[in-house]
């Protein structure tokens, strides 16, 4: 395997075929660049063909001349890639590069086991969408099935609103959740930049309404066969 830095001349589709997760895609990292992060892309090649790709973004440590790097939701980097990252870290005056692997361990109810302090992935489910509605409901807890049918009886409706109006509703509900859960969320500019940069086939906002009142919202990122 040969390891090379990837420049902007590469086809973004080819790059995206070599990553595992939306946060590693070309478009997502273009969003990070717009938000002020420094991003580098590394390619692992075999016979001049891109096999694996890695996007690492860097942020400066306040009041210091050093940086922290983050490799988010990637495949496991080979020894050659790790050595290349070490070289890059020294050049960037980066004291650490945190690596978060895109691998999951499922328990008996298909619930992903994650770190307790992991906000983004806590409670994530792996669901086989090839199943019919009856089988999907059968896999859920009785309380979940009850709440779904209760919402149907109360005429709660779900709409997909992929525009700035939908983004405003989503962000207002998101802030309420951050306050209730007592964690620091992202800024409105962060989500707006993602909305403007990601392709319309990737970025989807679903909002649940009771009559005309928004009750809940979900931001869904589609990437290849993954949600």
């Amino acid at each position: 395997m040969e390891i090379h830095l990837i420049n902007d001349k590469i086809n973004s589709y080819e790059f995206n075929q070599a990553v595992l997760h939306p946060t590693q895609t070309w478009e997502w990292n273009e969003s990070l660049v717009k938000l002020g992060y420094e991003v580098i892309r590394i390619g692992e090649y075999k016979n001049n063909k891109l096999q694996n790709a890695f996007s690492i973004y860097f942020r400066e440590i306040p009041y210091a001349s050093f940086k922290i790097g983050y490799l988010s939701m990637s495949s496991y980097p080979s020894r050659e890639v790790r050595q290349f990252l070490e070289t890059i870290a020294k050049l960037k005056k980066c004291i650490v590069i945190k690596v978060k692997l895109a691998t999951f361990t499922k328990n008996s109810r298909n619930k992903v086991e994650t770190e307790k302090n992991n906000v983004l992935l806590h409670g994530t489910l792996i669901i086989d969408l090839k199943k019919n509605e009856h089988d999907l409901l059968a896999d859920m807890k009785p309380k979940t099935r009850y709440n779904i049918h209760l919402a149907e009886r109360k005429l709660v409706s779900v709409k997909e609103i992929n525009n700035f109006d939908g983004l405003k509703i989503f962000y207002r509900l998101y802030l309420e959740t951050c306050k209730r859960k007592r964690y620091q969320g992202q800024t409105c500019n962060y989500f707006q930049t993602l909305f403007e940069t990601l392709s319309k086939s990737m970025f989807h906002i679903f909002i649940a309404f009771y009559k005309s009142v928004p009750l809940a919202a979900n931001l869904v990122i589609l990437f290849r066969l993954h949600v």
Side-chain angles (χ1 to χ4, degrees):
M1 291 284 190
E2 295 183 354
I3 315 299
H4 300 289
L5 287 175
I6 294 176
N7 58 35
D8 292 341
K9 295 181 180 180
I10 191 174
N11 183 282
S12 61
Y13 175 81
E14 178 186 359
F15 181 88
N16 287 347
Q17 294 302 303
V19 301
L20 298 179
H21 193 269
T23 59
Q24 280 288 300
T25 59
W26 190 273
E27 295 85 353
W28 191 284
N29 287 283
E30 285 297 293
S31 299
L32 294 180
V33 171
K34 293 179 180 179
L35 290 166
Y37 294 97
E38 180 183 4
V39 176
I40 66 167
R41 300 178 177 95
I42 296 173
E44 193 171 25
Y45 291 84
K46 183 178 182 181
N47 298 326
N48 293 323
K49 185 176 181 180
L50 183 62
Q51 301 294 314
N52 297 297
F54 305 88
S55 296
I56 306 97
Y57 70 85
F58 299 89
R59 61 189 307 174
E60 294 184 353
I61 300 175
Y63 310 109
S65 58
F66 301 101
K67 299 178 181 179
I68 292 176
Y70 189 37
L71 174 56
S72 168
M73 305 304 290
S74 74
S75 59
Y76 188 83
S78 65
R79 180 175 59 86
E80 293 81 5
V81 171
R82 297 197 303 272
Q83 290 175 342
F84 197 90
L85 288 175
E86 183 177 351
T87 301
I88 292 295
K90 291 178 180 178
L91 292 173
K92 299 289 184 183
K93 293 185 177 181
C94 178
I95 62 173
V96 64
I97 296 179
K98 180 179 180 181
V99 179
K100 190 73 174 179
L101 300 179
T103 56
F104 305 99
T105 301
K106 294 187 294 182
N107 62 23
S108 58
R109 296 193 63 86
N110 281 343
K111 188 171 182 178
V112 174
E113 301 292 344
T114 63
E115 301 174 9
K116 292 183 178 180
N117 62 347
N118 192 324
V119 174
L120 293 178
L121 293 179
H122 180 68
T124 298
L125 300 176
I126 297 178
I127 301 175
D128 183 0
L129 296 180
K130 292 181 291 185
K131 293 183 178 181
N132 58 42
E133 182 178 337
H134 178 271
D135 291 338
L136 287 174
L137 289 171
D139 288 340
M140 299 178 184
K141 294 181 179 180
K143 183 64 174 179
T144 303
R145 291 195 296 271
Y146 172 81
N147 286 335
I148 291 174
H149 295 314
L150 177 62
E152 290 176 338
R153 292 195 299 271
K154 296 294 185 179
L155 302 180
V156 173
S157 61
V158 177
K159 299 178 182 179
E160 183 175 359
I161 307 179
N162 295 329
N163 54 36
F164 283 110
D165 290 335
L167 186 61
K168 290 178 182 177
I169 296 172
F170 163 81
Y171 190 69
R172 178 173 60 80
L173 293 170
Y174 171 79
L175 287 182
E176 292 177 3
T177 302
C178 290
K179 183 177 180 180
R180 185 171 63 253
K181 297 290 186 179
R182 296 182 179 180
Y183 60 74
Q184 183 178 358
Q186 297 287 357
T187 65
C188 184
N189 183 51
Y190 174 86
F191 290 105
Q192 183 171 328
T193 303
L194 286 178
F195 176 76
E196 294 172 345
T197 309
L198 297 183
S199 65
K200 295 300 181 287
S201 62
M202 292 179 67
F203 195 100
H204 300 268
I205 299 173
F206 296 93
I207 302 174
F209 291 89
Y210 175 64
K211 297 182 179 179
S212 60
V213 179
L215 302 176
N218 196 8
L219 170 58
V220 176
I221 304 296
L222 299 180
F223 175 61
R224 297 211 299 259
L225 298 178
H226 304 284
V227 178

